[in-house]
Amino acid sequence: MAILSTRPSIALVKTRWRKKGERTLAERAGVIGTNVWKISSEIFKHMEKEGFRFGSDRLVTDVLAEFIAFLVQLADRAVYGKLSEADRAALIGEVAGHLAATMENNQRDLLGPGEYRKPFIDLLNTRFGEYAGFAYAGAEPGYPCLRFFAAKVSDAMASGDNKWVVEQMMDIEAPEMVRLVGKLIEQTVQAGPAARPHARPG
């Protein structure tokens, strides 16, 4: 198969509240986590529709975990400058916890009882360290970062029939993921007086 050029069509879950007023970090983290899960699920569905094969349910969850790790570290970078460093760390920690619970519930449904939370958190921590080594233009990941992400997805898919997955991720899926995370953070995290200059991540 050759790479297909159709773009995924993904709308964010509601990110604006009817009532005015400051939202807690936990409330904002819940909205971010919900949308990160939705984006990951929709990217998976789009790739499946385009003819990519994911194999077993375990491989599906492995691929979703790579999507989530990429999206969460993008969110962390997008939050830079909008919150204090302490609030930023707390927010991303809440997002990770929200997603760990969601992933755990889904893996139990698909795979049965087991220890799923710790391996997922360990993966997030490992990927955060790896992604921190790449250069970014603001919150925009460069080619080496996208290539690394695409390779991790390809490894997780572990199927010989998916030779175009790296190109699909870099050219089609990842750019949409980057765009959506930028929009998500813009709508859920407002810059405030506590946001002061700090050394950039990575």
Side-chain angles (χ1 to χ4, degrees):
M1 64 173 290
I3 185 171
L4 301 177
S5 59
T6 60
R7 295 278 177 181
S9 178
I10 303 171
L12 295 176
V13 178
K14 187 174 73 171
T15 57
R16 299 186 186 280
W17 291 271
R18 290 182 179 179
K19 295 181 180 179
K20 296 182 178 181
E22 184 66 19
R23 301 297 163 180
T24 67
L25 288 175
E27 287 175 322
R28 286 181 279 180
V31 172
I32 293 168
T34 297
N35 277 283
V36 166
W37 180 261
K38 181 185 179 183
I39 294 166
S40 299
S41 299
E42 292 298 321
I43 292 292
F44 160 74
K45 291 175 186 176
H46 180 253
M47 292 183 69
E48 196 172 43
K49 183 179 178 182
E50 299 286 67
F52 290 92
R53 300 177 183 179
F54 290 84
S56 68
D57 288 338
R58 185 170 296 278
L59 290 182
V60 170
T61 60
D62 289 347
V63 170
L64 287 174
E66 293 295 346
F67 290 173
I68 290 168
F70 180 66
L71 289 164
V72 173
Q73 64 87 27
L74 287 177
D76 182 45
R77 289 175 179 272
V79 168
Y80 174 80
K82 296 180 182 294
L83 297 173
S84 69
E85 286 297 282
D87 282 351
R88 175 183 161 204
L91 177 74
I92 298 303
E94 291 272 3
V95 170
H98 176 96
L99 288 161
T102 304
M103 178 64 85
E104 182 178 44
N105 290 336
N106 277 268
Q107 286 179 301
R108 284 179 175 169
D109 289 343
L110 289 171
L111 308 174
E115 172 54 55
Y116 301 114
R117 183 179 291 256
K118 185 178 185 302
F120 176 73
I121 293 295
D122 287 346
L123 175 73
L124 290 187
N125 288 332
T126 297
R127 292 291 179 265
F128 257 63
E130 292 167 334
Y131 283 121
F134 294 104
Y136 285 64
E140 295 283 333
Y143 178 88
C145 179
L146 295 179
R147 181 80 185 182
F148 176 83
F149 167 56
K152 290 301 179 185
V153 173
S154 180
D155 291 345
M157 289 174 73
S159 172
D161 242 5
N162 291 315
K163 64 180 181 179
W164 295 104
V165 67
V166 170
E167 290 82 356
Q168 180 77 16
M169 294 310 304
M170 294 185 66
D171 296 342
I172 305 297
E173 313 297 348
E176 184 67 4
M177 295 166 89
V178 172
R179 184 188 73 80
L180 287 166
V181 167
K183 182 178 179 182
L184 174 61
I185 297 304
E186 180 181 342
Q187 292 182 2
T188 56
V189 181
Q190 299 298 320
R196 295 184 295 271
H198 292 269
R200 286 205 56 79

